[in-house]
Every structure is written in structure tokens, then in C-alpha cells.
Amino acid sequence: MTNQENKIPIKGYATFHKLQHCWIGSGFQADWFHDLPIYKNNKIMDPLRRIAEETEEDYQTLEKLLKDAGVQTYRAKLDIQNFKSLKNIFRPPACPRDNFGVIGQKLYALGDPNLLPGCKEVLKKIDKENLILSPRENAVITTAQICRVGRDIWWDVDDRVNDQSSVAKYKSIWEEEGFRVHTSKRGYHSDASFCVVKPGCIVSLKDIQDYKTEFPGWDVLYLPDQSWSKVNPFTEMKEKVGGRWWLKGEEHNDQLIEFVDTWLNDWVGYVEETVFDVNMLSIDENTIICNNYNKQAFEHFKKHKVEPVLFNFRHRYFWDGGVHCITQDLYREGTMEDYFG
């Protein structure tokens, strides 16, 4: 095979087009902590070991699920032996969705990719014509914040992260390519707020979009915010961690809580604001992967002839990542269709 044939194709015009190539995240290994003083502290290492092992098991389950559906998968490769010091602990690429985005026939990787060890293993397999790599640009183009529906792009811009001149720059580029770009400044990941399942079908929290204007005639199912009754022990840990993360069974493990909040602060997100019931990944217009069973959502899917596939990412409340977050679709069939005329 030629070098060109080994390259990963890049294309993405809608979240529900048939998925053919997908990047899956990677976690960590407990042995990376081997040279650190905490390695002999079972109160810290036993929970970390459980997170490491079960996270990898779940990634492999997801990879098999996608491969069985005919999707080519890719994993980041972390080529390290151990953390040299507590200050040397870096975040593994658990959620590639948070740092990359495919718009049209380009994968955007803005900011320093060296901050995400292992990602270069995937990026170097992409032809330069399909890769926008801009290490010095202070903007984030991520399909966690960008929803693609054919010709229309909904981009929620976070004022705390994005350089507004870069936002204007890429908005202009995409408009020249024929897209209609709708920007908002709500300041959160839209993939934890609404999901365009297929043309005419949306699952959403309330007050996210003006759907009557922006998606006229589409059937929108409104779900309540995260039901913490499903994970009631989180309330015992919530104040200690500021609502940022949760590990079942460790609500009173103050040693672990102090270690994570001090040294793994950039590993966790803000899980209290995340609603995993809307954080889903479409394989095609009629198949969608869900984090958990939701009666209302599943009835909505049945109405629109969509088959839900359950996938339990057990440590989503630690990584703050559902199935959409821990993947990055690289190539979907389809073109820039105009779904709104």
C-alpha cells in the first residue's frame, strides 16, 4: 500500500451522517505512578487502578461496538513509562472531542498538540491538505461546542477560551466554503445540552436553542437536567469536590479527593453541569449510541425509527465525558446538504 492509502480520510458535514472513521480516547495506566510516593498508598492507588483498568475495558468495548458496525477506529498511543514527579502528571487524551473538530473536509487542531501526549500518533496519519494545525492560535475548534447540520453550523463560543479574532477568522472561512455559521456565547459544551439525532429529530435540555426559528417544524424532545437521583451518593461528595467529579464508593475517601483536586485537577471537568442523556454518538441516521437508558428518549427514538445502542462508560463522572466526548468522528459519508432551504 502507498503512504497515501494509509492516510485517514477526513470529512464531516452532519452529526448523523453514516460514520466510517472514528477516533477513540485513551486513558492511563496505574503503573505510570510507580516512581511517585503515593504508589504505596492504597487509599489513593486502589481507586486510581480501578479507574485505569475499567476505563480501558470500556474503550475496548466501544471499539468493538464500532468495528462491528463497520467503523474503522483509531486510538492515541501514549508512549511513556512513568510520571517523573507530581508536577509531571499530564492529562491523557481521554476525550478527543474536547480538542478537535472536523468541519467539511478539514480536521482542526488548534493550540499546542504537545499538551495532549499521544495525539500526534493520530494526527500524523492525516494528510496535510486535510489538517489545520495551528499551535499558536488561542482558539478552540471542537465539535463538543460545534454542531454540524449540513450547511448550517451552530458554534457556541466560550469567551474564557477563544480568541475572538480567531472566531471571526474561521467563521469567515467557513462562510466562504458555503456554510451558514450561527454563533452563541452560552459558555458550555453544546453536546451536553442537545443532540441532533437525524433530520427532524432532536433531544435537548430546555432553553438551549430557539428551535421554532432555527429548526422549524422539527420534533424536539425536552429532557430535564441531570437526574442526580440516579447517582444519589454524588451528593455526599459534591461539596468536597465543588461538583466537579465523582467516583462511586469513594465519597468519604478524603486522601483520594485531596490528591485528585491537587494533582489531577485538569483530568476532571465539571460533571454537575453535564447531562449524559443527551451526549450521544450517531452511527447513522437510524442508529445512535447512548450512555444509559432513558424512557422518554427511547420512546422518541422509536417514533423516529432510530435504534438506540447502550454503552456504559463507567467512569464518565470522573472524566466528565460521555460517548460523544470520548470519540471524535473523522469521516462521515454525506455532503453539505441544506436541511432548511
Side-chain angles (χ1 to χ4, degrees):
M1 296 179 67
T2 67
N3 185 55
Q4 188 62 35
E5 289 174 326
N6 286 321
K7 294 293 186 181
I8 302 173
I10 299 296
K11 188 170 70 167
Y13 287 101
T15 61
F16 45 77
H17 285 163
K18 183 174 175 57
L19 181 62
Q20 288 194 335
H21 295 263
C22 188
W23 182 350
I24 299 174
S26 294
F28 68 101
Q29 297 177 25
D31 283 348
W32 292 354
F33 293 87
H34 186 274
D35 291 345
L36 302 181
I38 59 112
Y39 193 71
K40 296 181 180 180
N41 185 332
N42 291 336
K43 291 286 288 183
I44 295 175
M45 284 309 305
D46 284 354
L48 290 182
R49 190 170 285 108
R50 175 159 63 97
I51 294 171
E53 293 173 355
E54 292 180 349
T55 293
E56 179 56 28
E57 288 173 5
D58 292 345
Y59 281 137
Q60 291 184 19
T61 297
L62 177 59
E63 186 169 30
K64 184 179 186 303
L65 189 159
L66 288 172
K67 285 183 174 179
D68 288 347
V71 179
Q72 175 68 50
T73 61
Y74 307 88
R75 299 286 305 276
K77 181 181 178 182
L78 295 175
D79 188 19
I80 66 168
Q81 299 300 317
N82 58 282
F83 297 128
K84 301 299 183 183
S85 71
L86 287 170
K87 295 181 180 179
N88 183 239
I89 297 176
F90 53 78
R91 188 183 196 275
C95 301
R97 180 77 58 180
D98 293 349
N99 298 91
F100 305 100
V102 173
I103 308 296
Q105 298 184 47
K106 307 285 187 184
L107 172 69
Y108 291 84
L110 307 188
D112 187 355
N114 292 317
L115 296 177
L116 286 174
C119 291
K120 288 190 290 186
E121 292 297 317
V122 176
L123 297 177
K124 71 182 184 181
K125 296 178 182 178
I126 298 170
D127 193 281
K128 292 181 180 179
E129 293 183 358
N130 302 116
L131 179 63
I132 304 299
L133 188 61
S134 185
R136 298 179 182 178
E137 199 145 11
N138 184 28
V140 174
I141 292 177
T142 157
T143 42
Q145 292 176 287
I146 296 174
C147 179
R148 303 152 297 168
V149 187
R151 189 179 174 189
D152 289 86
I153 292 174
W154 277 268
W155 185 6
D156 192 75
V157 178
D158 190 338
D159 283 331
R160 297 168 298 175
V161 176
N162 288 280
D163 179 349
Q164 296 305 300
S165 64
S166 291
V167 172
K169 170 186 171 181
Y170 288 105
K171 183 176 185 293
S172 177
I173 288 173
W174 295 337
E175 288 174 342
E176 289 178 5
E177 293 176 359
F179 290 103
R180 289 187 293 250
V181 183
H182 315 270
T183 59
S184 57
K185 293 185 179 180
R186 297 182 179 92
Y188 48 71
H189 285 182
S190 57
D191 65 351
S193 304
F194 75 103
C195 175
V196 178
V197 179
K198 66 187 297 184
C201 176
I202 294 175
V203 176
S204 176
L205 305 182
K206 291 187 179 297
D207 303 322
I208 302 302
Q209 301 280 357
D210 180 2
Y211 291 108
K212 290 182 179 179
T213 299
E214 297 174 336
F215 293 80
W218 287 37
D219 187 7
V220 183
L221 170 67
Y222 292 101
L223 293 176
D225 285 349
Q226 182 72 39
S227 175
W228 290 112
S229 61
K230 296 179 183 178
V231 287
N232 190 53
F234 172 76
T235 58
E236 300 176 26
M237 193 175 185
K238 176 180 171 181
E239 290 187 8
K240 294 181 180 180
V241 299
R244 299 192 63 205
W245 61 280
W246 172 57
L247 182 61
K248 184 177 180 180
E250 304 298 333
E251 294 81 11
H252 304 290
N253 187 343
D254 291 341
Q255 289 187 52
L256 174 69
I257 291 171
E258 181 182 3
F259 180 78
V260 172
D261 287 350
T262 303
W263 301 107
L264 307 185
N265 186 56
D266 63 340
W267 286 31
V268 298
Y270 193 21
V271 75
E272 187 179 12
E273 289 187 343
T274 303
V275 181
F276 294 108
D277 288 346
V278 299
N279 192 264
M280 301 177 281
L281 178 71
S282 290
I283 294 177
D284 54 45
E285 287 192 13
N286 301 109
T287 316
I288 194 164
I289 304 176
C290 311
N291 296 285
N292 45 262
Y293 173 77
N294 182 293
K295 185 175 184 293
Q296 290 175 281
F298 277 42
E299 289 176 350
H300 194 60
F301 295 151
K302 185 175 182 180
K303 176 182 177 182
H304 289 277
K305 299 180 179 179
V306 175
E307 181 68 26
V309 178
L310 283 173
F311 164 69
N312 181 23
F313 188 49
R314 284 170 283 182
H315 293 294
R316 56 186 178 271
Y317 295 100
F318 177 82
W319 295 110
D320 193 16
V323 64
H324 194 259
C325 298
I326 64 173
T327 58
Q328 173 61 60
D329 45 331
L330 298 173
Y331 187 95
R332 290 183 180 271
E333 294 180 358
T335 58
M336 189 194 292
E337 298 183 51
D338 191 341
Y339 291 96
F340 304 100

